[in-house]
Amino acid sequence: MSEEKLNVLPTGRSSATADFFRGIFAVGLLFYAATHIPVVGFFFSLLIPVLILFYRLRLGQRAGGIIPVVSGAAMALTLGAASFEMLFFAELMLLGFVMGELFERNLPIERTVLLTCAIAIASGGACLAVYSSFSGISPWAMVSDYVDRNLQMTLALYESVGMAEEVIRAVSESLEAIHFFLVRILPSLAVSSVLFITWTTLVMVKPVTRRYGLAYPDFGRLNHWRAPEWLVWGVIGSGILLLFPHNGLRMVGVNGLIILMTVYFFNGIAIVSFFLEKKRLPLFLRIGIYMFIALQQIALFLVIGIGFFDIWFNFRKLETPTD
């Protein structure tokens, strides 16, 4: 591979080769942490697309594309049979690589996020359909079985940590209703998850690209971003669907509201970031506030509400809203 393909790193070809192997090792380490460390392992998995994006920008398309391929092959050998976990990690790597491709095209932030999410979701659906055709099991049955296994694991976790018996009994008696609901909102949960991971990747990779002098599109001030005003009609439409007696229409409304709440969360957290920056609070205090929002449901819904009502109140007093 030529030095041009590797973005002509300052220290030459040997440094690029070292970066290539470091990238494979780092992704493998995150994969191991995500699959072997309980509870917090999920947070390690969120760094996988950040690393893939970083090495895509640093090493170029060819070498940067080999890293997820090699890492994916190692992951497949480790996990063995095809599973939702394998699909999840493969999608994380694809997401990071696709975002790197879009970064070089200098698209607006909305188009970058939407294209990344669309490609990740479409490829995941295609993989699920192909696996379903080979295994002879319908996608619905696979999803239902996956949700059921996770609910059983959650119940076993409650029992192992010594949760009150009446709580365990109540959860056990409600498993069927919880399963029914989760299976039907899984599409919106998948879309919201991809949106969230794309957003966190976009935010986390920015200081890294600055440090290493890599290309980062001119998205403007991220804490000045506003959700399009026409999205409020989606909220109204989804809310109206909840009033219908038909379960199918009500589930469509619930799925729509979950996706839109994710978008308004981004708007709300941009407002929070704007005022934290304006008050010049120290970094450790900002991190504490963000962690509080992530861990407290009331704070989370408050941020969503702030993002939604910003349409009318314009909390940041921005002169021109973004389309």
Side-chain angles (χ1 to χ4, degrees):
M1 62 185 72
S2 65
E3 290 186 359
E4 288 78 7
K5 293 290 184 180
L6 297 174
N7 291 338
V8 193
L9 298 180
T11 50
R13 187 185 298 270
S14 60
S15 177
T17 304
D19 280 336
F20 174 77
F21 287 107
R22 274 197 294 264
I24 294 176
F25 175 77
V27 174
L29 191 62
L30 286 178
F31 166 69
Y32 180 86
T35 53
H36 288 77
I37 300 178
V39 184
V40 296
F42 170 76
F43 296 100
F44 286 101
S45 65
L46 295 179
L47 297 175
I48 292 177
V50 178
L51 269 182
I52 296 296
L53 172 56
F54 168 73
Y55 283 106
R56 163 62 186 86
L57 297 174
R58 187 168 174 83
L59 299 177
Q61 187 181 71
R62 183 178 299 177
I66 295 175
I67 291 177
V69 172
V70 174
S71 302
M75 174 192 67
L77 292 174
T78 304
L79 293 178
S83 62
F84 278 97
E85 288 78 12
M86 185 183 297
L87 178 62
F88 173 69
F89 288 111
E91 290 299 307
L92 289 179
M93 292 188 288
L94 176 65
L95 189 149
F97 185 79
V98 168
M99 189 175 288
E101 292 290 312
L102 296 176
F103 269 23
E104 294 188 347
R105 286 161 174 77
N106 289 314
L107 301 175
I109 185 171
E110 293 86 1
R111 194 173 299 178
T112 299
V113 171
L114 289 178
L115 282 175
T116 301
C117 293
I119 292 172
I121 293 169
S123 62
C127 291
L128 194 62
V130 170
Y131 180 76
S132 173
S133 64
F134 279 103
S135 63
I137 305 173
S138 68
W140 181 265
M142 285 191 293
V143 169
S144 179
D145 179 65
Y146 176 76
V147 172
D148 184 62
R149 283 189 288 111
N150 278 272
L151 287 175
Q152 295 297 334
M153 290 171 58
T154 302
L155 188 61
L157 178 63
Y158 287 167
E159 293 174 349
S160 65
V161 297
M163 189 166 286
E165 186 176 344
E166 56 271 16
V167 175
I168 295 176
R169 188 185 306 113
V171 173
S172 179
E173 292 172 354
S174 306
L175 277 184
E176 187 175 347
I178 297 172
H179 178 273
F180 176 87
F181 184 73
L182 283 179
V183 169
R184 282 154 182 79
I185 67 168
L186 206 59
S188 61
L189 293 180
V191 173
S192 296
S193 298
V194 175
L195 276 171
F196 178 76
I197 294 171
T198 303
W199 172 72
T200 54
T201 302
L202 197 72
V203 172
M204 287 191 290
V205 83
K206 186 175 183 179
V208 179
T209 55
R210 284 182 175 178
R211 173 169 181 157
Y212 288 90
L214 303 176
Y216 189 89
D218 184 16
F219 292 138
R221 302 285 294 275
L222 294 181
N223 57 12
H224 283 202
W225 182 81
R226 296 184 69 186
E229 293 184 2
W230 54 263
L231 279 183
V232 71
W233 294 106
V235 176
I236 294 171
S238 299
I240 292 174
L241 289 177
L242 296 180
L243 302 177
F244 284 82
H246 192 273
N247 282 335
L249 291 176
R250 293 172 67 182
M251 285 297 105
V252 171
V254 171
N255 280 278
L257 284 177
I258 291 174
I259 295 172
L260 290 172
M261 281 196 301
T262 306
V263 177
Y264 283 114
F265 168 78
F266 298 152
N267 200 150
I269 205 70
I271 295 171
V272 172
S273 173
F274 176 85
F275 284 106
L276 292 180
E277 183 180 288
K278 187 176 181 179
K279 298 297 182 181
R280 297 182 179 179
L281 295 181
L283 180 61
F284 76 91
L285 194 55
R286 296 187 195 184
I287 294 174
I289 293 173
Y290 291 137
M291 291 181 64
F292 177 77
I293 293 172
L295 298 175
Q296 291 293 326
Q297 292 182 350
I298 296 177
L300 183 66
F301 282 107
L302 179 62
V303 170
I304 293 172
I306 292 172
F308 180 72
F309 287 104
D310 183 58
I311 298 173
W312 295 280
F313 294 101
N314 191 13
F315 295 111
R316 291 164 290 186
K317 306 303 178 187
L318 300 178
E319 295 181 1
T320 53
T322 304
D323 290 335

